[in-house]
Amino acid sequence: PKFNKIRLHYTIYLGSNQKSDIMNWVSIIDKFFQDCLVKAEKLEDDNYDYVPEVIAKFGGVDLTNPRIEIEIEEL
Protein backbone atom coordinates (compact mmCIF):
# COMPACT_ATOMS: atom_id res chain seq x y z
CA PRO A 1 0.00 0.00 0.00
CA LYS A 2 0.93 3.66 -0.33
CA PHE A 3 1.20 5.53 2.96
CA ASN A 4 0.42 9.18 3.70
CA LYS A 5 2.03 9.46 7.15
CA ILE A 6 3.79 6.75 9.14
CA ARG A 7 5.58 5.99 12.37
CA LEU A 8 8.41 3.47 12.14
CA HIS A 9 9.19 1.02 14.94
CA TYR A 10 12.57 -0.73 14.92
CA THR A 11 13.37 -3.61 17.28
CA ILE A 12 16.95 -4.85 17.26
CA TYR A 13 17.99 -8.35 18.25
CA LEU A 14 21.76 -8.55 18.56
CA GLY A 15 23.81 -11.60 17.66
CA SER A 16 26.14 -11.46 20.67
CA ASN A 17 26.17 -10.49 24.32
CA GLN A 18 28.61 -7.66 23.62
CA LYS A 19 27.12 -4.30 24.64
CA SER A 20 26.23 -2.11 21.68
CA ASP A 21 24.72 1.27 20.93
CA ILE A 22 21.44 0.36 19.23
CA MET A 23 21.25 3.65 17.34
CA ASN A 24 24.51 2.82 15.57
CA TRP A 25 22.61 -0.03 13.93
CA VAL A 26 19.16 1.50 13.61
CA SER A 27 20.21 4.89 12.20
CA ILE A 28 21.86 3.29 9.17
CA ILE A 29 18.97 0.88 8.55
CA ASP A 30 16.44 3.70 9.00
CA LYS A 31 18.13 5.95 6.43
CA PHE A 32 18.14 3.28 3.73
CA PHE A 33 14.71 1.86 4.61
CA GLN A 34 13.01 5.26 4.33
CA ASP A 35 14.81 5.95 1.05
CA CYS A 36 13.58 2.59 -0.27
CA LEU A 37 9.99 3.40 0.72
CA VAL A 38 10.21 6.62 -1.31
CA LYS A 39 11.92 4.95 -4.27
CA ALA A 40 9.26 2.20 -4.29
CA GLU A 41 6.61 4.96 -4.28
CA LYS A 42 5.14 3.71 -0.99
CA LEU A 43 5.77 7.11 0.60
CA GLU A 44 5.79 10.56 -1.02
CA ASP A 45 8.89 11.71 0.89
CA ASP A 46 10.82 10.81 4.02
CA ASN A 47 10.77 14.21 5.71
CA TYR A 48 9.00 14.88 9.03
CA ASP A 49 5.70 15.65 7.30
CA TYR A 50 5.51 11.98 6.30
CA VAL A 51 7.62 10.32 9.01
CA PRO A 52 7.23 12.43 12.17
CA GLU A 53 8.38 9.73 14.59
CA VAL A 54 10.84 6.83 14.63
CA ILE A 55 11.02 4.47 17.62
CA ALA A 56 13.95 2.16 18.29
CA LYS A 57 14.21 -0.44 21.02
CA PHE A 58 16.38 -3.34 22.11
CA GLY A 59 14.57 -6.66 21.72
CA GLY A 60 17.25 -8.88 23.20
CA VAL A 61 20.05 -11.15 22.11
CA ASP A 62 19.33 -13.85 19.55
CA LEU A 63 22.51 -15.77 18.84
CA THR A 64 20.95 -17.81 16.00
CA ASN A 65 18.89 -15.09 14.29
CA PRO A 66 20.21 -11.55 14.84
CA ARG A 67 18.00 -9.02 13.10
CA ILE A 68 16.17 -5.74 13.06
CA GLU A 69 12.40 -6.02 12.82
CA ILE A 70 10.55 -3.06 11.29
CA GLU A 71 6.92 -2.21 11.87
CA ILE A 72 5.20 0.46 9.78
CA GLU A 73 2.35 2.14 11.62
CA GLU A 74 0.09 4.32 9.50
CA LEU A 75 -0.95 7.54 11.24
Side-chain angles (χ1 to χ4, degrees):
K2 185 162 182 160
F3 303 105
N4 292 316
K5 185 183 273 192
I6 61 173
R7 176 183 298 127
L8 293 170
H9 299 262
Y10 294 93
T11 304
I12 185 168
Y13 296 87
L14 296 176
S16 78
N17 288 313
Q18 182 177 350
K19 303 292 184 203
S20 183
D21 179 345
I22 64 170
M23 288 311 293
N24 286 347
W25 297 94
V26 173
S27 62
I28 295 168
I29 298 296
D30 180 55
K31 168 65 179 142
F32 289 106
F33 186 71
Q34 287 191 41
D35 288 348
C36 286
L37 288 174
V38 173
K39 186 172 183 175
E41 298 180 351
K42 300 297 181 182
L43 195 61
E44 183 71 29
D45 201 342
D46 57 357
N47 66 44
Y48 56 78
D49 287 333
Y50 300 92
V51 188
E53 186 175 9
V54 175
I55 299 169
K57 68 180 181 177
F58 177 64
V61 174
D62 188 335
L63 300 175
T64 59
N65 187 24
R67 64 197 179 279
I68 294 180
E69 294 179 355
I70 305 169
E71 177 189 343
I72 303 171
E73 178 185 359
E74 191 162 20
L75 301 175

